[in-house]
Amino acid sequence: MKLYYFCILSASIGFVSGRIDREAIVSKFNVVRKNLINNETTPLQVGNGDFAFNVDNTGMQTFLPFNTLSTWAWHNDSLPANGEALGDYTGVPMLTHGRNVSYEIPDPNLPEVSQWIISNPNRVNLGRIGLKFKGQALPVFQISEPRQELNLWNGFITSKFNVDGVPVEVITQGDLETDSVAFEIESDLLGSGDLQVELDFPYPPIHGTEHKYEVFAGVYGFPLNHTTQLVAGDGKGGANGSVAHIYHEMQETRYYVNLRWGTGEAPSSSPLPTIRRNEPPGSASKSAHRYTISPGEKDHTASYSLPRTAKSSLSSKLSFTAHFAPSKHTPAPPAEIRARSSAAWATYWKQGGFVDVVTGSTNANATELQRRVVLSQYHARVNSAGTRHRQPPQESGLMNNGWYGKFHMEMVVWHCAHWATWGRQALFDGVFPGVYETFLESSVARAGRMGWAGARWPKMTDPITGTSSPGGINGLLMWQQPHPMYLAMLAYQGSPTQKTLERWDPILTATADYMASYAWKNESSGYYDLGPPAYGVTENTPPKESLNLAYEASRTYWHYGLRVAQHWKTLLGRPVPKVWTRVAAHLAPLPTTTDAKTGQSYYAVYEGLNHSWWNDTSNRGKKLTSDPRSLIMLQGILPDLPPLIISSSDNTTTNSPVSQHGGRVIVDSETARATSDKVWEIWGDENIRGWGRPVLAMNAARIGRADRAIYHLTAFDYWDFDDAGFAVRGGDGGTPPPFLPGNAGLLLAVGYMAAGWAGSEGDAPGFPKDGSWIVKHEGMLKGL
């Protein structure tokens, strides 16, 4: 059957060669740090998308207690002790088209239960691994001459520094296959016994509002609330005594740190380290859960559990693997992890898409743009490829616990859509539609409780149950609902098979059932209305007035979603539900306003605004004009429309596409262009934050303003990426960096501008043709 409205490119998405020297470009942007960082600096990371180890200048977590985070380790705080019962929370009723509907927002009568649901479960810091000096914590003032380099092509960090004037070198390597980090440490201080490795295990605090953003997750003041235990290895998979395990139990949360020493060779050929617990079990000290690893003896006379007696016999080298997992395992030796992970990272860079804007360009902004693109690809692989647990990342990735560690369902497009357009379909498919399959049952139940059909997807999401955290905005946000349709089309573009159609069909069916059910038939106008109450994409609209929001509702994203659902059924050769057809054909039109002086029409954020809203100086007006990005999303991220399935009456339906209803018929190009110009005029650079610039760039490219598109991506004075290449949210976001939707949004926009979008013409249609930009790309797919 014919596939409508987008094309499949023939460009290879596998190995490529010849055109672009990828290794040279990637290696050019290795991160090098020559100054000691502080607690406001983003750490460098190694990881695999499901696990990340964050480091200070020592390549470990020595003088800054950075986090070790995963997609699988979560913990629930103790329930409220004030008599409020979790089962009493049922949401808060709000009048919705003549009936009370309970929305997932905080209940003022149950404040502690509401907060508990918001903040639980919360992501667990799996433990800290750092260096100690002469039996004590290594203070930062004893560290000098630091030089740290992140090798992007092979995915490891080399950290060189002096401790008390003596050189130390640490190589830190993550593993793309397992949740492991391998260390190779070399220093004469190891041989003298003055330098050792220490492991420590924090406990999650009670997560009130003050712990919404935890830069350093966990506390050490509740040692009796949890237990750790050293377990000797059984020798399987390695030499006897080369494996040990630390078991950590925090109520329902239990896991192991599986340790592996040396090379895995016979004991006689390699000295084995020792590990001991610093204090006896049951200690009430803050250091109760600390463990010390010391280097092996040169003559290898010491066993796994014996204390050291002769410093001169110690090795000046220490290699070990720390593998974090819910169960006990024998991890791979560090040398094996180093070899296979370096090769896997090189494969990652060789495969999939690549964009080169630096080799031939003379534009002064090309180098910095290329740096951001390359580093964003690294950070996305470490933080945004949670394929084993089918999880999109939280906004701060696997670096710190922003929003209690929970991901936001409305942000999944910004986090992960680029995997598809950059030819990395396996990473895209590792998240989608799995995340929707996981939460389908709970989302159907949610819609049912609220009196609607289908599946109502959550917002700030409990990764285990799919519960939507009851924030004031969370329960009323709408734009995550049609996301499955957009993502399904990306999935089908990458793999146009029956298997893709069949797997996504239950998700799209449940989504479309809800969208059609949620729409309310306004008998006065004859249209179907959406909201109120509702919040728009920018979260700055008055919820009780937000009727037919321009981007989310009316004949835009809601319409697009229903049209895709209809089209999906035709590709499967199955009947299209009549209600989808009826609602899609009769959704309220896009809200517009007209300038009385010029007669020019513009789109409005929601229905009911008159043209004065552009210059409204009231608090409401200022809130709207401080971030009007929803209006440029109409021709930014929103694709053209697939054919509309028309029924001959409200009682029958047909699977025959009607061509005059295909194409971009909902968004008028002249009105969209005028609206884009108006947004450009009023949305000052200093107010644009988050993923605002990528969507502005995509909008400008689509309406033929390539000069404006590249400006948005290169307004470096306003759009901050730090020295490690992490995007900073900026504005009034209030969240500590990083802001991963900024990194992933940059990749989506650059891919869009380089490879084009469905219906675009020519090469690199989003870059100016002024001669200063020479853009090469390979392995890319067009955007929708």
Side-chain angles (χ1 to χ4, degrees):
M1 184 171 290
K2 183 178 179 182
L3 178 64
Y4 291 92
Y5 105 97
F6 63 74
C7 63
I8 305 292
L9 295 188
S10 60
S12 168
I13 59 173
F15 282 96
V16 294
S17 61
R19 292 187 58 204
I20 299 176
D21 187 344
R22 297 190 182 199
E23 184 172 2
I25 293 173
V26 170
S27 300
K28 176 183 176 70
F29 298 103
N30 285 351
V31 179
V32 177
R33 285 179 165 170
K34 297 181 180 180
N35 295 305
L36 291 170
I37 64 174
N38 58 37
N39 61 359
E40 295 183 353
T41 310
T42 52
L44 300 185
Q45 300 175 294
V46 294
N48 58 26
D50 279 295
F51 168 85
F53 186 81
N54 300 271
V55 306
D56 58 28
N57 293 90
T58 67
M60 306 180 85
Q61 298 153 338
T62 299
F63 63 88
L64 288 170
F66 287 123
N67 305 310
T68 306
L69 300 180
S70 73
T71 57
W72 50 264
W74 299 85
H75 178 262
N76 281 317
D77 299 333
S78 299
L79 289 169
N82 68 340
E84 295 179 22
L86 195 60
D88 291 342
Y89 178 83
T90 58
V92 175
M94 297 184 71
L95 191 64
T96 305
H97 298 302
R99 68 183 182 92
N100 271 327
V101 175
S102 288
Y103 291 87
E104 293 166 319
I105 58 179
D107 187 340
N109 297 315
L110 296 168
E112 292 199 20
V113 161
S114 297
Q115 178 59 42
W116 191 95
I117 300 172
I118 290 170
S119 55
N120 285 278
N122 39 78
R123 200 184 299 267
V124 168
N125 182 356
L126 294 169
R128 181 182 67 83
I129 304 176
L131 295 171
K132 69 178 186 177
F133 183 57
K134 295 184 177 181
Q136 303 295 324
L138 174 58
V140 67
F141 67 79
Q142 287 188 290
I143 299 173
S144 62
E145 299 185 41
R147 187 188 189 280
Q148 186 172 59
E149 181 170 0
L150 169 60
N151 183 306
L152 295 168
W153 188 260
N154 295 117
F156 66 87
I157 300 168
T158 301
S159 306
K160 297 180 180 181
F161 51 94
N162 292 342
V163 174
D164 222 19
V166 180
V168 181
E169 178 174 311
V170 179
I171 298 176
T172 312
Q173 177 85 61
D175 188 10
L176 288 182
E177 293 184 14
T178 64
D179 296 344
S180 301
V181 57
F183 301 97
E184 298 178 22
I185 310 169
E186 184 170 0
S187 176
D188 288 343
L189 292 173
L190 290 171
S192 69
D194 289 330
L195 196 67
Q196 298 168 306
V197 171
E198 185 171 75
L199 290 80
D200 201 0
F201 296 88
Y203 183 79
I206 297 295
H207 287 80
T209 54
E210 71 274 15
H211 287 106
K212 184 192 292 188
Y213 312 116
E214 286 182 284
V215 175
F216 304 116
V219 294
Y220 297 88
F222 303 98
L224 299 179
N225 286 14
H226 57 130
T227 61
T228 56
Q229 179 182 358
L230 181 61
V231 183
D234 55 15
K236 293 181 180 179
N240 185 35
S242 66
V243 179
H245 314 272
I246 299 174
Y247 173 67
H248 190 195
E249 182 173 333
M250 300 178 287
Q251 292 81 45
E252 81 286 2
T253 305
R254 304 167 185 178
Y255 63 92
Y256 286 85
V257 183
N258 301 295
L259 300 165
R260 179 75 176 271
W261 322 123
T263 62
E265 299 172 353
S268 59
S269 62
S270 179
L272 295 180
T274 62
I275 183 170
R276 63 177 174 83
R277 183 171 187 153
N278 292 11
E279 299 184 24
S283 169
S285 167
K286 288 185 177 181
S287 59
H289 299 291
R290 292 180 185 173
Y291 295 78
T292 296
I293 299 174
S294 300
E297 293 186 0
K298 292 178 181 178
D299 60 2
H300 192 66
T301 58
S303 67
Y304 149 86
S305 59
L306 294 178
R308 295 303 179 196
T309 57
K311 290 184 177 181
S312 62
S313 69
L314 302 179
S315 172
S316 61
K317 296 182 180 180
L318 173 60
S319 299
F320 69 97
T321 298
H323 171 224
F324 297 81
S327 57
K328 187 177 175 182
H329 290 288
T330 296
E336 181 181 323
I337 287 178
R338 176 80 183 274
R340 78 183 183 201
S341 188
S342 291
W345 268 105
T347 299
Y348 168 77
W349 290 111
K350 293 174 185 175
Q351 289 183 325
F354 201 87
V355 176
D356 172 11
V357 299
V358 72
T359 301
S361 297
T362 59
N363 192 285
N365 292 318
T367 299
E368 174 60 12
L369 181 59
Q370 187 75 64
R371 182 186 81 92
R372 295 182 178 202
V373 169
V374 167
L375 288 170
S376 292
Q377 288 175 271
Y378 180 84
H379 299 321
R381 183 64 183 87
V382 170
N383 293 280
S384 307
T387 57
R388 278 185 280 117
H389 298 278
R390 306 190 297 184
Q391 256 183 55
Q394 58 174 318
E395 290 188 358
S396 56
L398 293 171
M399 183 176 291
N400 60 59
N401 268 359
W403 303 102
Y404 311 102
K406 296 183 179 183
F407 75 89
H408 292 190
M409 190 70 89
E410 85 279 14
M411 297 305 294
V412 298
V413 167
W414 287 111
H415 279 297
C416 297
H418 71 90
W419 290 131
T421 58
W422 282 71
R424 302 190 187 280
Q425 196 67 32
L427 295 177
F428 180 91
D429 292 340
V431 178
F432 306 116
V435 64
Y436 290 108
E437 292 169 336
T438 299
F439 301 138
L440 178 58
E441 183 178 352
S442 61
S443 298
V444 168
R446 177 182 297 105
R449 288 193 303 270
M450 301 177 81
W452 290 304
R456 180 182 172 99
W457 303 109
K459 195 271 190 197
M460 180 176 155
T461 309
D462 174 343
I464 300 169
T465 67
T467 299
S468 183
S469 299
I473 290 171
N474 299 353
L476 300 176
L477 205 64
M478 293 177 60
W479 69 293
Q480 73 270 30
Q481 303 305 331
H483 279 354
M485 282 69 169
Y486 183 93
L487 295 163
M489 293 304 261
L490 283 174
Y492 194 67
Q493 175 172 257
S495 180
T497 66
Q498 184 73 14
K499 181 179 179 180
T500 301
L501 292 171
E502 293 285 357
R503 185 172 179 189
W504 277 89
D505 185 57
I507 304 299
L508 300 196
T509 298
T511 303
D513 283 345
Y514 166 75
M515 291 169 65
S517 176
Y518 177 81
W520 177 76
K521 180 67 176 294
N522 186 330
E523 298 297 341
S524 297
S525 66
Y527 291 121
Y528 284 91
D529 289 336
L530 285 85
Y535 264 113
V537 59
T538 48
E539 303 179 3
N540 60 358
T541 59
K544 293 183 179 181
E545 300 174 33
S546 296
L547 172 66
N548 296 323
L549 290 152
Y551 178 69
E552 294 86 340
S554 63
R555 295 190 181 179
T556 46
Y557 205 20
W558 217 263
H559 198 166
Y560 167 79
L562 287 171
R563 295 267 287 265
V564 168
Q566 294 175 61
H567 188 56
W568 207 262
K569 291 295 185 185
T570 70
L571 293 173
L572 283 165
R574 296 172 185 169
V576 176
K578 291 178 290 186
V579 66
W580 298 0
T581 301
R582 184 167 59 250
V583 172
H586 297 93
L587 279 168
L590 253 170
T592 59
T593 65
T594 302
D595 187 333
K597 293 181 180 179
T598 65
Q600 176 63 56
S601 294
Y602 302 86
Y603 289 120
V605 178
Y606 57 88
E607 188 175 317
L609 291 174
N610 58 41
H611 193 68
S612 66
W613 83 269
W614 290 102
N615 302 304
D616 189 350
T617 58
S618 69
N619 288 335
R620 184 183 71 167
K622 288 179 179 178
K623 285 185 70 174
L624 291 176
T625 55
S626 68
D627 191 347
R629 81 182 75 185
S630 62
L631 298 178
I632 46 94
M633 290 175 72
L634 302 176
Q635 282 192 313
I637 193 170
L638 191 64
D640 288 349
L641 294 167
L644 176 63
I645 310 304
I646 297 294
S647 60
S648 56
S649 72
D650 280 349
N651 298 316
T652 61
T653 188
T654 176
N655 285 340
S656 301
V658 180
S659 60
Q660 70 260 29
H661 290 272
R664 195 185 303 138
V665 298
I666 302 304
V667 180
D668 175 72
S669 58
E670 181 181 347
T671 304
R673 193 178 181 92
T675 303
S676 179
D677 289 342
K678 194 71 174 179
V679 170
W680 168 269
E681 175 188 327
I682 70 164
W683 198 15
D685 274 320
E686 65 278 1
N687 293 322
I688 302 170
R689 60 181 175 89
W691 45 271
R693 293 195 183 276
V695 77
L696 279 164
M698 294 167 70
N699 167 258
R702 188 156 200 158
I703 64 172
R705 298 278 175 78
D707 57 334
R708 191 181 292 178
I710 198 63
Y711 169 80
H712 287 305
L713 296 189
T714 57
F716 302 140
D717 289 342
Y718 300 100
W719 195 22
D720 290 336
F721 278 52
D722 68 15
D723 71 308
F726 289 108
V728 178
R729 187 179 188 185
D732 61 353
T735 60
F739 184 69
L740 269 299
N743 290 97
L746 172 70
L747 294 178
L748 187 64
V750 168
Y752 197 85
M753 292 164 60
W757 54 92
S760 67
E761 297 179 357
D763 195 46
F767 284 83
K769 302 300 188 287
D770 59 4
S772 71
W773 289 97
I774 305 299
V775 181
K776 299 179 182 178
H777 59 90
E778 56 192 18
M780 305 289 292
L781 294 179
K782 278 191 173 185
L784 298 183

